[in-house]
Amino acid sequence: MKILLKNLYNIEPISFIKLSDKAYRIKTQDNDYVLKYVDNGNIDIIIEKLKILNIETFLFPIINNHGDYLSNYNNSNFLIYEWLKEEKVILKDLKLKFYK
């Protein structure tokens, strides 16, 4: 898997942390990423439709060196996303609005 990620994404993993049955956090020297196994082989079409709509609220996967979102390893499809850094927010700074 390390060689595949290097060849497809120029990512050199240091470690893999299991987040769930289908998701792993990839730690590298510079950044962290999420590797997510998916069952849907047509997810490229869905991602392209969302990009056409210019909806900025979605985290889109990284395109591999072959120009695809979806990659394959041991007959399993997966996507790579950039890891979102958590912002530390104090609870008293959160403001909630309640509607009736």
Side-chain angles (χ1 to χ4, degrees):
M1 177 58 92
K2 287 184 177 185
I3 295 169
L4 180 69
L5 291 176
K6 173 67 176 157
N7 292 337
L8 287 178
Y9 296 96
N10 296 323
I11 294 173
E12 295 186 31
I14 296 172
S15 65
F16 294 87
I17 301 168
K18 187 173 183 174
L19 302 173
S20 72
D21 289 340
K22 293 187 176 190
Y24 293 84
R25 182 175 181 177
I26 302 169
K27 297 193 78 59
T28 68
Q29 192 73 11
D30 301 320
N31 298 318
D32 290 358
Y33 301 91
V34 173
L35 183 145
K36 172 90 167 118
Y37 286 102
V38 293
D39 297 327
N40 187 348
N42 297 325
I43 201 156
D44 286 350
I45 297 166
I46 297 167
I47 293 168
E48 286 302 322
K49 286 181 180 180
L50 289 171
K51 281 196 158 206
I52 289 170
L53 293 172
N54 290 323
I55 300 173
E56 297 179 12
T57 55
F58 289 96
L59 177 64
F60 293 105
I62 299 171
I63 297 173
N64 65 27
N65 292 337
H66 300 292
D68 299 320
Y69 294 104
L70 206 57
S71 299
N72 191 293
Y73 179 70
N74 288 342
N75 297 323
S76 297
N77 295 319
F78 68 90
L79 302 165
I80 299 287
Y81 297 89
E82 289 185 26
W83 181 261
L84 292 178
K85 294 184 174 42
E86 297 178 30
E87 292 184 23
K88 302 293 183 194
V89 178
I90 301 172
L91 262 175
K92 68 178 184 178
D93 290 340
L94 293 176
K95 296 179 182 176
L96 301 175
K97 293 182 180 180
F98 295 95
Y99 298 97
K100 291 185 179 184

